[in-house]
mmCIF file of all heavy atoms in Angstrom:
data_model
loop_
_atom_site.group_PDB
_atom_site.id
_atom_site.type_symbol
_atom_site.label_atom_id
_atom_site.label_comp_id
_atom_site.label_asym_id
_atom_site.label_seq_id
_atom_site.Cartn_x
_atom_site.Cartn_y
_atom_site.Cartn_z
ATOM 1 N N VAL A 622 -3.371 -9.852 34.271
ATOM 2 C CA VAL A 622 -4.084 -10.560 33.203
ATOM 3 C C VAL A 622 -4.591 -11.877 33.787
ATOM 4 O O VAL A 622 -3.791 -12.684 34.244
ATOM 5 C CB VAL A 622 -3.155 -10.827 32.005
ATOM 6 C CG1 VAL A 622 -3.903 -11.558 30.897
ATOM 7 C CG2 VAL A 622 -2.563 -9.524 31.485
ATOM 8 N N ILE A 648 3.606 -6.365 35.186
ATOM 9 C CA ILE A 648 2.608 -7.165 34.479
ATOM 10 C C ILE A 648 2.608 -8.575 35.071
ATOM 11 O O ILE A 648 3.666 -9.196 35.196
ATOM 12 C CB ILE A 648 2.915 -7.262 32.962
ATOM 13 C CG1 ILE A 648 3.331 -5.909 32.384
ATOM 14 C CG2 ILE A 648 1.744 -7.879 32.209
ATOM 15 C CD1 ILE A 648 2.276 -4.879 32.287
ATOM 16 N N GLU A 649 1.455 -9.050 35.437
ATOM 17 C CA GLU A 649 1.345 -10.387 35.993
ATOM 18 C C GLU A 649 0.216 -11.132 35.279
ATOM 19 O O GLU A 649 -0.853 -10.578 35.050
ATOM 20 C CB GLU A 649 1.080 -10.280 37.502
ATOM 21 C CG GLU A 649 1.321 -11.555 38.228
ATOM 22 C CD GLU A 649 2.186 -11.387 39.483
ATOM 23 O OE1 GLU A 649 2.880 -10.370 39.625
ATOM 24 O OE2 GLU A 649 2.143 -12.317 40.304
ATOM 25 N N VAL A 650 0.492 -12.389 34.915
ATOM 26 C CA VAL A 650 -0.482 -13.177 34.171
ATOM 27 C C VAL A 650 -0.873 -14.392 34.995
ATOM 28 O O VAL A 650 0.001 -15.123 35.465
ATOM 29 C CB VAL A 650 0.100 -13.642 32.808
ATOM 30 C CG1 VAL A 650 -0.924 -14.465 32.046
ATOM 31 C CG2 VAL A 650 0.552 -12.457 31.979
ATOM 32 N N ILE A 651 -2.163 -14.585 35.201
ATOM 33 C CA ILE A 651 -2.651 -15.784 35.880
ATOM 34 C C ILE A 651 -3.472 -16.549 34.862
ATOM 35 O O ILE A 651 -4.600 -16.159 34.539
ATOM 36 C CB ILE A 651 -3.527 -15.427 37.102
ATOM 37 C CG1 ILE A 651 -2.787 -14.433 38.006
ATOM 38 C CG2 ILE A 651 -3.892 -16.681 37.872
ATOM 39 C CD1 ILE A 651 -3.654 -13.859 39.100
ATOM 40 N N ASP A 652 -2.895 -17.601 34.309
ATOM 41 C CA ASP A 652 -3.596 -18.326 33.260
ATOM 42 C C ASP A 652 -2.992 -19.715 33.121
ATOM 43 O O ASP A 652 -1.780 -19.878 33.282
ATOM 44 C CB ASP A 652 -3.475 -17.566 31.928
ATOM 45 C CG ASP A 652 -4.489 -18.055 30.910
ATOM 46 O OD1 ASP A 652 -5.603 -17.509 30.869
ATOM 47 O OD2 ASP A 652 -4.176 -19.018 30.184
ATOM 48 N N VAL A 656 1.049 -18.686 28.198
ATOM 49 C CA VAL A 656 0.884 -17.357 27.591
ATOM 50 C C VAL A 656 2.253 -16.769 27.268
ATOM 51 O O VAL A 656 3.163 -16.806 28.095
ATOM 52 C CB VAL A 656 0.136 -16.427 28.564
ATOM 53 C CG1 VAL A 656 0.091 -15.012 28.040
ATOM 54 C CG2 VAL A 656 -1.263 -16.950 28.830
ATOM 55 N N LEU A 658 3.968 -13.184 25.971
ATOM 56 C CA LEU A 658 3.766 -11.775 25.652
ATOM 57 C C LEU A 658 5.129 -11.186 25.291
ATOM 58 O O LEU A 658 6.141 -11.607 25.846
ATOM 59 C CB LEU A 658 3.194 -11.028 26.863
ATOM 60 C CG LEU A 658 1.773 -11.386 27.297
ATOM 61 C CD1 LEU A 658 1.438 -10.717 28.609
ATOM 62 C CD2 LEU A 658 0.780 -10.976 26.229
ATOM 63 N N TYR A 662 7.164 -10.232 32.156
ATOM 64 C CA TYR A 662 5.988 -10.365 33.006
ATOM 65 C C TYR A 662 6.161 -11.581 33.898
ATOM 66 O O TYR A 662 7.015 -12.425 33.660
ATOM 67 C CB TYR A 662 4.718 -10.509 32.155
ATOM 68 C CG TYR A 662 4.735 -11.700 31.239
ATOM 69 C CD1 TYR A 662 4.070 -12.882 31.566
ATOM 70 C CD2 TYR A 662 5.446 -11.669 30.048
ATOM 71 C CE1 TYR A 662 4.108 -13.975 30.733
ATOM 72 C CE2 TYR A 662 5.493 -12.758 29.208
ATOM 73 C CZ TYR A 662 4.818 -13.913 29.548
ATOM 74 O OH TYR A 662 4.875 -15.001 28.722
ATOM 75 N N VAL A 663 5.348 -11.619 34.927
ATOM 76 C CA VAL A 663 5.349 -12.768 35.822
ATOM 77 C C VAL A 663 4.159 -13.636 35.441
ATOM 78 O O VAL A 663 3.039 -13.132 35.320
ATOM 79 C CB VAL A 663 5.206 -12.316 37.285
ATOM 80 C CG1 VAL A 663 5.163 -13.522 38.225
ATOM 81 C CG2 VAL A 663 6.346 -11.381 37.663
ATOM 82 N N HIS A 664 4.408 -14.909 35.208
ATOM 83 C CA HIS A 664 3.317 -15.806 34.834
ATOM 84 C C HIS A 664 3.060 -16.788 35.971
ATOM 85 O O HIS A 664 3.976 -17.467 36.409
ATOM 86 C CB HIS A 664 3.678 -16.551 33.547
ATOM 87 C CG HIS A 664 2.561 -17.438 33.049
ATOM 88 N ND1 HIS A 664 2.768 -18.447 32.167
ATOM 89 C CD2 HIS A 664 1.229 -17.447 33.322
ATOM 90 C CE1 HIS A 664 1.610 -19.057 31.914
ATOM 91 N NE2 HIS A 664 0.666 -18.467 32.602
ATOM 92 N N ARG A 665 1.816 -16.833 36.434
ATOM 93 C CA ARG A 665 1.431 -17.857 37.412
ATOM 94 C C ARG A 665 0.536 -18.846 36.705
ATOM 95 O O ARG A 665 -0.639 -18.574 36.488
ATOM 96 C CB ARG A 665 0.638 -17.230 38.561
ATOM 97 C CG ARG A 665 1.415 -16.239 39.359
ATOM 98 C CD ARG A 665 0.473 -15.471 40.266
ATOM 99 N NE ARG A 665 1.213 -14.435 40.954
ATOM 100 C CZ ARG A 665 1.779 -14.617 42.144
ATOM 101 N NH1 ARG A 665 1.673 -15.756 42.770
ATOM 102 N NH2 ARG A 665 2.458 -13.637 42.702
#
Side-chain angles (χ1 to χ4, degrees):
Chain A
V622 180
I648 316 290
E649 196 131 342
V650 180
I651 309 171
D652 196 90
V656 173
L658 293 172
Y662 59 100
V663 178
H664 184 199
R665 297 168 185 268

